[in-house]
Amino acid sequence: MPARINPLGIHAYTATSAAGEGVAAHTHALRERIGGLRPNDFTRAPMQCWIGRVSGVDTLQLPESLAAFDCRNNRLAWLGLNQDSFIDHARAAIERFGATRVALILGTSTASIGATEQGYRELDAAGNFPPVLREPSLHNPNSLVHFVQRALGLRGPCVTVSTACSSSAKVFAQAERMLRAGIVDAAIVGGVDSLCDSVLYGFGSLELVSPEPCRPFDAARRGISIGEAAGFALLQLAHDGDELPRLLGYGESSDAFHMSSPHPEGLGARLAIDAALARAGLAAGDIDYINLHGTASQKNDEVEAALIASMFPAHTTASSTKGWTGHTLGAAGIVEAVISLLALEHRFVPGILNSTELDSLCGPQIHLENRMQPLRHVLSNSFGFGGNNCVLAFGRA
């Protein structure tokens, strides 16, 4: 098992999803059990499903200085950066440490695929993209990082992590390694994924999309609801006396089992949980709440429910919050990290939205209703396609 690490202080964090813009909106939605899913109004051909669409993205305008980067994914990133004064916190860190000493590490799975789709739909007579979509960086996996780097004026390490649904959880692990090695003094981490036809039709072709709002861990669940989101956090090494929430540990693993199905016994997920606990110096019994990956797919929920029941005591509570946001894919890690931090801050444990009868595989840890309870240590699970797993451990000083 890995050695215990020194924790990281989380100096700022924010999330924007179908549940709301910023942490106050998310807290309100979670407390009042107001979900953000709505009937699909995005795809160009009919597709019966519900989606977590962020309002206002399509009409948002980027500043003139960033106009060359205009695409739906970057507009969502810009909307997210401007919530909770996050962009001001980021610029203050850059001012303090210098533009070369702040890392930018972002997760995404779709990057700006939607812009490329649009380009092909609007080819001119000569077969060229329209002029507004000819910026080459719009059409590669680094589109998001390139945009945010330019928006913030960063000149330090800039990294794209694309490991499907664990992408923006694994950014925390990369940041810890960079900070521990002294490569940088601060790290901006996060993730952005926006809706596009390729993702919706792709998951539909895999028969993973529910025709109704997703019902995580429900005995009659019918699949996932895809969403979009942006989220960011600012990390630095923690110091004695800090009152900030902390990243205590992380665990990463690979199932090496199947392209889209988890290991049937949850081997990779178990290894990631064990590694996160070891780096945090915690035991399973120390965990008060787990924000589960809980996609509402048959296989994920089956394996994750059995794993949680076997690893954690009955007093640990656990739930999936994808009924509020949908499955935001490459942004799921950061959105659910933010929800975990809100749970710590408000001593509030969200339940599960839309589900009514838990699968018989669920242990006493998984619950449907919201709860108020003291929290010291929280885990956030992210398990991606290809068996890319990441578990984050958070706590208060």
Side-chain angles (χ1 to χ4, degrees), residues 183-204:
I183 296 171
V184 293
D185 299 308
I188 296 166
V189 301
V192 182
D193 252 1
S194 54
L195 293 168
C196 62
D197 284 352
S198 298
V199 166
L200 284 157
Y201 293 137
F203 276 87

Side-chain angles (χ1 to χ4, degrees), residues 52 259 335 369:
M259 287 288 288
V335 168
E369 301 302 322

Side-chain angles (χ1 to χ4, degrees), residues 13-17 20-23 26 80 83-84 230-232 334-335 338-339:
Y13 58 90
T14 186
T16 292
S17 75
E21 299 171 11
V23 296
H26 279 81
Q83 304 306 315
D84 301 309
F232 300 93
I334 183 68
V335 168
V338 167
I339 291 174

